[in-house]
Amino acid sequence: MTAAAASVVAGVALVPNWSAGAAVTDDPTVDAATKATFQRLADAVFTDRTQALVDGTGKADTRHASGFSGSVRLSGGQTRQEKTALDTLRDRRSKLARLGETYHAGSTKVTLDATQVNGRRAKVAVTETTTLAYDKAPAKGPKSTGFQAHHELTFQADRHGTWQLTGIRDTDDGYLAVNQVAKPAVTSVKATGEDDGPPSAARSATTWPAPANAKNFSATGYDYKAMVAYAQKYWNNYNPAYPDFNGQGAGGDCTNFVSQALKAGGWKHVPGYTNDFHKWFGNSDIQSDSFVGVNEFSWFALSSKRATSLANVYQLDLGDVLQMDFNRDGSKDHSMIVTYRDRRGLPYVSYHSTNTYNRSVASLVASYPNAAFYAYRT
């Protein structure tokens, strides 16, 4: 795979007012050639970011992009911005290599979901599917990690009719794709019930290696292999038996997904009021705040004794849960479930929003060095 270069990210971010905050409505009159140009431009951008993690390549310069008519260039400001992004990913690649994780190949595919054109301006909804192949993967371990992310791209045509990519907005409620560089917090469901002193989770260290803390898989009676199997089945294909909270401000589906996996492994409902964090239940019709909310889940898991805090993230094992607070403001932002642990003791997680499977905890620590991590033994 060649790095098609973010040289196709062109122009200043001139997002038209008519596109702000609205989903893309597909225009069936947009011709195939124009759609193909949009797709190839998007492919090049996201491929560059993937390649920066694989082999350290990826370009942010003012070269002409091959295969396009006219000049497709980065503005000065965009050149600096993309260079910073790719430098960040190369630095992440170096940190991961020091932790023993490298990728020998990567692939990125962009699919157009909807295209809307208004004169010289356009916006396009795309789905990015990226896979990274682990280098020296263990015989029985995961061979790759990957994700699907959704983006809204804005384009502007010059007077010669050449389209330039002017902006990228990520539309998933989560922001945890392997090759993304920005780190805004994921919206969580806020508690509205009576506060009788919810328990506080202890922060977990991120130092490697971690002190031994083997998991007793028979102590609780839960089926951790069933939890893993559920997560592997539904990390990308959402279970229609539950609502989907991903996209368009729904709040994020990460904790909902984790709760479903835990339920598949034997966690039982605790019925009651939805806003009472001591209760935990979820189905197609109704869900408790603790079933879908990041902080509320932590409160329930700890107060019910279904989970205990781990001192170090690298002590996590199958069926355990990892949460993150990106900006260390005391409110947790994201939940994940462990779906593999390799022979070195390195855990891997899967999660929704952005839909991701078998991403190493080392990758998260390297990608978000300023975040606070909370590990739970279930």
Side-chain angles (χ1 to χ4, degrees):
M1 178 176 65
T2 60
S7 55
V8 297
V9 184
V12 184
L14 301 173
V15 182
N17 291 334
W18 53 264
S19 70
V24 179
T25 303
D26 191 52
D27 180 356
T29 66
V30 180
D31 64 90
T34 300
K35 288 185 177 181
T37 298
F38 291 156
Q39 181 166 353
R40 292 172 66 189
L41 287 166
D43 251 325
V45 172
F46 296 117
T47 292
D48 257 5
R49 294 193 172 196
T50 299
Q51 285 302 109
L53 285 173
V54 173
D55 57 18
T57 62
K59 304 292 184 181
D61 55 33
T62 56
R63 295 180 291 117
H64 291 187
S66 60
F68 298 101
S69 61
S71 298
V72 182
R73 296 175 178 268
L74 278 165
S75 67
Q78 289 285 32
T79 298
R80 291 188 294 272
Q81 180 176 329
E82 189 62 19
K83 182 179 184 300
T84 298
L86 294 176
D87 285 345
T88 298
L89 291 170
R90 294 187 191 103
D91 179 64
R92 184 179 303 172
R93 175 176 176 267
S94 298
K95 291 178 179 177
L96 283 171
R98 290 193 292 272
L99 291 169
E101 179 172 320
T102 56
Y103 312 113
H104 69 81
S107 65
T108 292
K109 178 183 177 182
V110 173
T111 302
L112 265 66
D113 301 317
T115 306
Q116 186 176 347
V117 176
N118 186 354
R120 292 182 180 273
R121 294 177 177 177
K123 62 178 180 177
V124 179
V126 304
T127 297
E128 172 200 0
T129 303
T130 290
T131 300
L132 291 163
Y134 287 121
D135 197 17
K136 301 177 181 178
K140 296 183 180 180
K143 307 302 181 185
S144 62
T145 182
F147 64 88
Q148 278 195 338
H150 302 90
H151 314 280
E152 182 179 296
L153 281 59
T154 53
F155 294 85
Q156 185 167 351
D158 63 20
R159 58 190 181 90
H160 301 292
T162 301
W163 288 103
Q164 295 184 330
L165 179 59
T166 59
I168 300 174
R169 182 173 71 88
D170 301 286
T171 56
D172 289 320
D173 283 305
Y175 207 90
L176 277 168
V178 179
N179 65 354
Q180 289 181 352
V181 293
K183 299 177 279 293
V186 179
T187 303
S188 65
V189 180
K190 301 299 182 184
T192 55
E194 180 181 356
D195 183 358
D196 60 353
S200 297
R203 288 184 182 177
S204 302
T206 57
T207 52
W208 173 267
N213 189 355
K215 184 170 187 175
N216 186 338
F217 286 89
S218 61
T220 62
Y222 298 132
D223 188 342
Y224 296 103
K225 290 184 178 179
M227 296 177 187
V228 171
Y230 184 95
Q232 291 174 335
K233 181 177 181 180
Y234 291 111
W235 74 268
N236 188 29
N237 299 308
Y238 285 33
N239 188 344
Y242 296 91
D244 174 3
F245 294 107
N246 184 29
Q248 299 301 322
D253 200 63
C254 60
T255 308
N256 185 34
F257 172 66
V258 167
S259 291
Q260 292 170 34
L262 293 171
K263 182 179 172 181
W267 276 36
K268 302 299 184 183
H269 283 176
V270 182
Y273 290 108
T274 59
N275 57 7
D276 181 353
F277 71 80
H278 298 98
K279 312 303 179 183
W280 184 87
F281 53 90
N283 55 37
S284 60
D285 299 318
I286 190 171
Q287 306 80 35
S288 65
D289 289 352
S290 60
F291 199 90
V292 299
V294 183
N295 293 289
E296 293 83 350
F297 172 86
S298 174
W299 300 340
F300 169 78
L302 293 174
S303 64
S304 66
K305 310 300 182 184
R306 290 190 183 182
T308 56
S309 294
L310 288 170
N312 191 296
V313 296
Y314 293 112
Q315 294 171 335
L316 289 161
D317 212 323
L318 299 183
D320 289 339
V321 174
L322 178 65
Q323 292 188 322
M324 294 173 63
D325 173 5
F326 294 117
N327 56 8
R328 290 178 176 261
D329 64 354
S331 178
K332 302 172 190 68
D333 303 305
H334 191 65
S335 303
M336 298 156 279
I337 189 166
V338 178
T339 47
Y340 184 72
R341 181 179 170 92
D342 69 18
R343 287 178 296 180
R344 298 177 299 156
L346 179 62
Y348 295 71
V349 293
S350 297
Y351 51 86
H352 277 184
S353 311
T354 301
N355 306 333
T356 298
Y357 64 91
N358 284 341
R359 182 176 183 180
S360 74
V361 170
S363 171
L364 290 166
V365 172
S367 302
Y368 302 91
N370 297 320
F373 290 79
Y374 299 85
Y376 305 85
R377 171 63 41 83
T378 61

